[in-house]
Amino acid sequence: MKSVGIDAVEIWAGKLKLDLPETFAPEKDEDPDKYRKGLGLVNSSFPDTYEDIVTMGANAAKRLMDRKGLKPDDIGRIDVATESAFDNSKPVSTYIAGCLEQVYDEDFHHANKGERKFACIAGTQSIDDAYNWIKAGRNRGRSAIVVATDTALYARGSSGEATQGAGAVALLITEDPSMVELSTEQGYGSADETDFLKPNQQFPSVDGKRSMQVYLARMREAVEDFESVAWDMHPEDLEYIPFHTPFPGMVRKAGLLGYRHMIRDTEIEDELAGEIGRQPREGEYEDWDTYEDAIRDYMDKLKQTDMYQSWYAETIEPTLGLAREVGNWYTGSVHVARASALKHAAEEDIDLTGEQMLVGSYGSGAQAEIHAETVQEGWKEEIEQLTIDEQLAARYDLDFDEYEQVHDVHNHDMTVDVEEFTIPNGEFVFAGIGRMNERKYEYVE
Ligand code: CAA
């Protein structure tokens, strides 16, 4: 059986940041702790005036190719996952390949290019496409590049404005990967939902509270589906669980539900029984409402236990470090969570080779997917090459007026003239609109 998975990852963060507790909250008359403690966010990344989904994606992909010593001929697929596309026909991957062709001698004329759409889960689906392509032996020895790139902007004044972000993740999918091998087993939870959508509009229509319930419901279905084809999960078998992270507070809820599920009928449930009782079982209650009340009560007690808190600190918290600093990157978000966990392990000198992670992806509309990943020998060498800490430290710190200007610059319905806040250096930049309304890009040395 071929081993297929993620060989390497690169992350490109938008070059601007908005400090949510200090800059955004006071303007909205909100308590900064809503961000620090509730949503779990400190900063959001924003694109500078010359950045967009193409530049961020192309810059991440170029860094990936340079670092891995790859030429265009080594790449057989370029798949872009985004929910911020500006064209209903021409895929963003053609723009990204066009950018890369400006700086390499060869071209990507024999690579299959596409664009995947299913809200935030599309990045994971693109990895699946690449995985299947390699497993099927159709890759002619070549690798695939998956780029998950988004400017996650919401209409000003909407509830989602608190959870914005922008950035790109480029992933190299290969046979015998250095970083993580993907399980063949997958679980899905998928249903026609109207929680978050963009019906031919740039900014989402979102029912925030409902979107959170749908996230949890679909994730639960996906876990059950995964267990039906794979194995029953146990907290001690999983080193990390990177989830789609629209904001860390969402993952706090998913983590608690997941833990309750995993410990049911295990020695952990028995051990906790003296302190908080056993988990309510549906059959023991006369109606659904009383059962739900009992579950809520159990969960409230469960989250206070030392056992849960130390599991959360070790297994979930390390996945959230980058998200707290960048906000929601939609399609890139779960891949930022994986990178965050691996980065944490490298910094703490934790030996991960051979360990398992469970990855929980989610896209509104709605679908969740669960699969397992086994960490491979080269993970540390790969993850230590990320420059994300330096990128985050170098971001320009926007004041509130500047934030509103940047939001307007990236609003497709507005034309505003705003000076850039940072100076591009060795990267692709947006260079204007062409005669067929196409976007143009150039490489700045
Ligand atoms: N101290 C501590 N905590 C505080 C606080 C304070 N002073 N003030 C508020 N909080 C807590 C609240 O109790 C709440 O936590 P709980 O949910 O655990 O109760 C949290 O901070 C957020 O506060 P609000 O609910 O008052 O915040 P809100 O009204 O702004 O709504 C939101 C939050 C619904 C997530 C909104 O930001 C939103 O619509 N976001 C976009 C949609 C979204 O991200 N949905 C997530 C699931 S869908 C998905 O994952 C796909 C995707 O990427 C979009």
Side-chain angles (χ1 to χ4, degrees), residues 207-438:
D207 182 341
K209 302 286 178 208
R210 179 157 165 66
S211 73
M212 295 165 70
Q213 290 165 357
V214 175
Y215 176 119
L216 297 174
R218 302 287 79 83
M219 199 63 86
R220 182 198 171 119
E221 277 176 5
V223 165
E224 287 167 357
D225 192 41
F226 177 78
E227 287 187 326
S228 76
V229 293
W231 50 88
D232 283 347
M233 289 181 277
H234 188 282
E236 277 159 26
D237 298 338
L238 299 168
E239 200 66 20
Y240 298 113
I241 309 183
F243 280 105
H244 167 57
T245 311
F247 53 93
M250 184 73 238
V251 172
R252 202 170 53 225
K253 295 177 200 295
L256 182 61
L257 274 180
Y259 189 77
R260 188 195 89 201
H261 176 84
M262 284 191 286
I263 64 168
R264 185 181 268 241
D265 295 325
T266 67
E267 73 293 350
I268 300 180
E269 184 185 12
D270 296 342
E271 217 176 312
L272 286 170
E275 192 181 343
I276 60 170
R278 292 182 66 75
Q279 295 196 17
R281 266 70 176 173
E282 200 183 330
E284 298 162 0
Y285 294 84
E286 276 181 9
D287 56 61
W288 183 258
D289 288 348
T290 342
Y291 170 59
E292 280 215 314
D293 286 347
I295 292 268
R296 255 193 298 275
D297 187 45
Y298 180 82
M299 304 260 281
D300 283 345
K301 291 182 190 144
L302 179 63
K303 74 176 167 209
Q304 309 296 340
T305 62
D306 290 346
M307 207 177 292
Y308 173 72
Q309 288 188 2
S310 65
W311 172 81
Y312 187 87
E314 282 169 19
T315 313
I316 306 289
E317 189 56 43
T319 70
L320 303 176
L322 292 175
R324 290 191 195 290
E325 284 299 325
V326 302
N328 192 357
W329 285 12
Y330 288 163
T331 55
S333 159
V334 66
H335 310 294
V336 166
R338 178 197 296 101
S340 185
L342 296 179
K343 184 170 163 299
H344 168 86
E347 285 159 5
E348 297 295 312
D349 218 10
I350 297 170
D351 182 10
L352 279 190
T353 304
E355 299 292 345
Q356 289 250 307
M357 297 192 288
L358 194 77
V359 178
S361 304
Y362 175 74
S364 296
Q367 181 161 300
E369 189 260 6
I370 294 278
H371 68 264
E373 296 184 357
T374 309
V375 182
Q376 303 294 295
E377 232 178 286
W379 71 276
K380 197 170 182 195
E381 207 182 317
E382 290 301 330
I383 215 72
E384 282 181 341
Q385 299 194 50
L386 285 181
T387 59
I388 186 66
D389 287 340
E390 292 78 1
Q391 290 180 48
L392 297 184
R395 287 180 299 182
Y396 177 88
D397 191 3
L398 296 164
D399 67 27
F400 191 77
D401 286 345
E402 290 168 337
Y403 153 66
E404 292 206 322
Q405 289 170 22
V406 167
H407 198 280
D408 289 346
V409 166
H410 294 287
N411 181 336
H412 297 166
D413 294 332
M414 293 178 81
T415 311
V416 287
D417 201 14
V418 177
E419 286 276 301
E420 64 247 35
F421 295 89
T422 60
I423 298 165
N425 178 15
E427 65 195 89
F428 298 104
V429 297
F430 172 63
I433 304 282
R435 81 184 162 90
M436 289 176 73
N437 214 17
E438 78 277 19

Side-chain angles (χ1 to χ4, degrees), residues 30-35 37-39 83 120 154 159-163 195-196 206-209 211-212 215 244-247 249-250 252-253 328 330 362-364:
E30 289 174 328
D31 185 341
D33 277 350
K34 169 181 163 180
Y35 295 88
K37 295 187 179 156
L39 297 170
E83 45 188 305
C120 308
Y154 290 79
S159 69
E161 198 184 2
T163 61
D195 54 334
F196 169 110
V206 56
D207 182 341
K209 302 286 178 208
S211 73
M212 295 165 70
Y215 176 119
H244 167 57
T245 311
F247 53 93
M250 184 73 238
R252 202 170 53 225
K253 295 177 200 295
N328 192 357
Y330 288 163
Y362 175 74
S364 296

Side-chain angles (χ1 to χ4, degrees), residues 69 104 122 197:
Y104 295 116
L197 54 159

Side-chain angles (χ1 to χ4, degrees), residues 152-201:
L153 299 183
Y154 290 79
R156 294 230 293 278
S158 73
S159 69
E161 198 184 2
T163 61
Q164 302 179 103
V169 181
L171 302 132
L172 188 69
I173 313 302
T174 66
E175 194 170 339
D176 296 328
S178 302
M179 230 171 74
V180 292
E181 179 190 346
L182 270 59
S183 65
T184 309
E185 296 84 0
Q186 293 175 290
Y188 285 99
S190 189
D192 178 11
E193 297 278 6
T194 312
D195 54 334
F196 169 110
L197 54 159
K198 298 182 176 182
N200 286 332
Q201 64 198 43

